[in-house]
């Protein structure tokens, strides 16, 4: 038993590892603009928290499978002892399982709502940590953020309490079903099968063994429900990232020379998506020539388009109009990947990596 459970847990952990790596690889190939619009929280939650939830509950799946096999084996033994007892026990088990599964359906929706609320809670914590300087500079902002956090936390607490109550109700329902099963064997079966009294001890003992296995299922199913909800979010993100993949990342593309004389923008324009009826922010058309060795300063007020221009120039945004050329060679689907590798940038919201990724000495 220990060997089977350990092997199954190892297999599940290997599967989780593969899914986690696949999600990261898809994210690396995802379109930058769409990832930027979605935000980071959903990726943190699915790649780290959801996989951790599935991993923590993987051993319960093994225990549930063991209990299920044991229930089937005991039912087969009861069928060999008394057909009438087998039919009654099977019917009672099916009815109890149906009622238990219906309660579990509502519990599953509660787990999904709880994970959504926890994602909002994570977002508010990220606002506090990422904008800690700005929060400390403004008492009004600090109070408002604290109030929003408290409201989200209160809502998450209510949802989690409701989920726990539903789990307790489901557990009690399962226990009632177990006692109902015993009552069927001890009190109902002898009424319909006069010869059953000769085998009542064997069947009752078998049912008592089976109640232990059913009890194990009752205890593990709510935990498996949380793991199922987490796995569903992982699969949902996997499908979303697959749809967001940048086709240019699959193409090796063409190589641009590392040494170049100039980069030119001719009639380059970019507009952010906007809601229906609204006009989104638009940049351009821009005509600009950057020559090797030049130092160019771009100035302007907040919201004037400096960051958008830099992202277009760096190749993170695709121009919706016009063209970017490197020594006269147009940057397109076959060359954009190589073009992004020609330069580097330090953005205002930069990230300092703990190691020098992509270098020979790393």
């Amino acid at each position: 038993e220990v060997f089977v459970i350990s092997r199954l847990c190892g297999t599940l952990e290997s599967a989780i590892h593969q899914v986690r790596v696949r999600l990261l690889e898809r994210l690396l190939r995802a379109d930058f603009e769409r990832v930027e619009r979605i935000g980071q929280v959903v990726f943190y939650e699915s790649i780290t928290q959801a996989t951790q939830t599935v991993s923590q509950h993987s051993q319960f799946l093994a225990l549930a499978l063991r209990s299920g096999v044991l229930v089937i084996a005991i039912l087969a033994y009861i069928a060999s002892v008394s057909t009438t007892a087998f039919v009654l026990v099977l019917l009672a088990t099916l009815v109890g399982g149906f009622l238990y599964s219906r309660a579990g359906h509502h519990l599953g929706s509660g787990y999904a709502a709880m994970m959504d609320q926890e994602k909002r809670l994570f977002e508010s914590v990220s606002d506090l940590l990422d904008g800690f300087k700005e929060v400390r500079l403004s008492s009004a902002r600090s109070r408002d953020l604290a109030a929003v956090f408290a409201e989200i936390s209160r809502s998450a607490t209510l949802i989690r309490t409701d989920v726990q109550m539903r789990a307790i109700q489901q557990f009690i329902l399962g226990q009632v079903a177990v006692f109902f099963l015993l009552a069927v064997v001890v009190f109902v079966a002898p009424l319909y099968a006069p010869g059953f009294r000769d085998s009542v001890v064997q069947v009752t003992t078998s049912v008592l063994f089976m109640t232990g296995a059913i009890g194990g299922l009752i205890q593990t199913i709510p935990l498996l429900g949380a793991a199922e909800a987490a796995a569903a979010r992982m699969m949902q993100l996997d499908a979303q990232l697959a749809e967001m993949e940048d086709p240019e990342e699959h193409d090796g593309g063409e190589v641009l020379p590392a040494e170049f004389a100039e980069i030119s923008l001719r009639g380059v324009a970019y507009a952010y998506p906007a809601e229906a009826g609204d006009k989104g922010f638009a940049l351009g058309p821009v005509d600009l020539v950057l020559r090797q060795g030049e130092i160019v300063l771009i100035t302007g007020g907040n919201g004037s388009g400096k960051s958008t221009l830099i992202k277009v120039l760096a190749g993170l945004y695709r121009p919706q109009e016009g063209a970017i050329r490197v020594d006269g060679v147009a940057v397109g689907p076959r060359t954009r990947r190589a073009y992004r590798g020609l330069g580097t940038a330090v953005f205002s919201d930069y990230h300092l990596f703990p190691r020098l990724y992509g270098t020979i000495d790393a």
Side-chain angles (χ1 to χ4, degrees), residues 175-198:
Q175 293 295 321
V176 171
V178 169
F179 290 123
F180 175 73
L181 182 60
L182 284 172
V184 167
V185 173
V186 176
F187 301 109
V188 178
L191 297 178
Y192 294 94
F196 176 72
R197 291 182 176 86
D198 298 333

Side-chain angles (χ1 to χ4, degrees), residues 16 21 40 57 71 88 114 161-162 171 194 222 291:
I16 293 171
V21 171
Q40 300 178 354
H57 296 154
V71 168
L88 291 175
M114 183 177 67
T161 302
D162 180 68
F171 177 79
R291 296 179 178 85

Side-chain angles (χ1 to χ4, degrees), residues 192-257:
Y192 294 94
F196 176 72
R197 291 182 176 86
D198 298 333
S199 56
V200 66
V201 175
Q202 294 172 284
V203 175
T204 303
T205 304
S206 300
V207 171
L208 286 174
F209 273 107
M210 190 169 70
T211 55
I214 293 176
L217 286 173
I218 291 173
Q219 292 177 348
T220 56
I221 284 178
L223 299 175
L224 294 178
E228 181 182 8
R233 296 183 74 89
M234 291 165 56
M235 294 300 100
Q236 180 182 5
L237 177 62
D238 183 66
Q240 188 177 13
L241 286 174
E243 194 269 332
M244 291 169 54
E245 282 193 13
D246 187 347
E248 297 174 3
E249 292 296 322
H250 290 281
D251 190 352
E254 299 176 2
V255 178
L256 292 176

Side-chain angles (χ1 to χ4, degrees), residues 109-119 156 159-161 163 226:
S109 60
Y111 279 122
M114 183 177 67
M115 295 188 72
D116 286 335
Q117 203 65 20
E118 288 180 347
K119 184 182 74 172
I159 294 176
R160 182 175 288 277
T161 302
V163 169

Side-chain angles (χ1 to χ4, degrees), residues 65-183:
L65 291 176
R66 183 207 62 177
S67 299
V69 171
L70 186 58
V71 168
I72 294 174
I74 293 175
L75 285 174
Y77 173 75
I78 293 176
S80 66
V81 174
S82 171
T83 304
T84 303
F86 169 75
V87 172
L88 291 175
V89 170
L90 182 61
L91 288 176
T93 303
L94 292 176
V95 171
F98 174 74
L99 296 176
Y100 190 82
S101 63
R102 287 195 62 182
H105 175 74
H106 297 294
L107 186 61
S109 60
Y111 279 122
M114 183 177 67
M115 295 188 72
D116 286 335
Q117 203 65 20
E118 288 180 347
K119 184 182 74 172
R120 292 185 59 203
L121 194 64
F122 187 81
E123 287 176 345
S124 62
V125 174
S126 297
D127 286 339
L128 173 60
L129 296 178
D130 294 340
F132 192 70
K133 297 186 297 294
E134 292 82 355
V135 170
R136 293 301 298 271
L137 290 172
S138 172
S139 298
R141 184 183 294 115
S142 178
R143 289 193 299 269
D144 192 20
L145 180 61
V148 170
F149 179 83
E151 177 60 27
I152 296 175
S153 179
R154 186 186 68 84
S155 179
T157 300
L158 292 176
I159 294 176
R160 182 175 288 277
T161 302
D162 180 68
V163 169
Q164 291 176 348
M165 287 298 299
R166 289 179 182 272
I168 293 173
Q169 292 173 358
Q170 189 183 31
F171 177 79
I172 294 175
L173 177 62
Q175 293 295 321
V176 171
V178 169
F179 290 123
F180 175 73
L181 182 60
L182 284 172

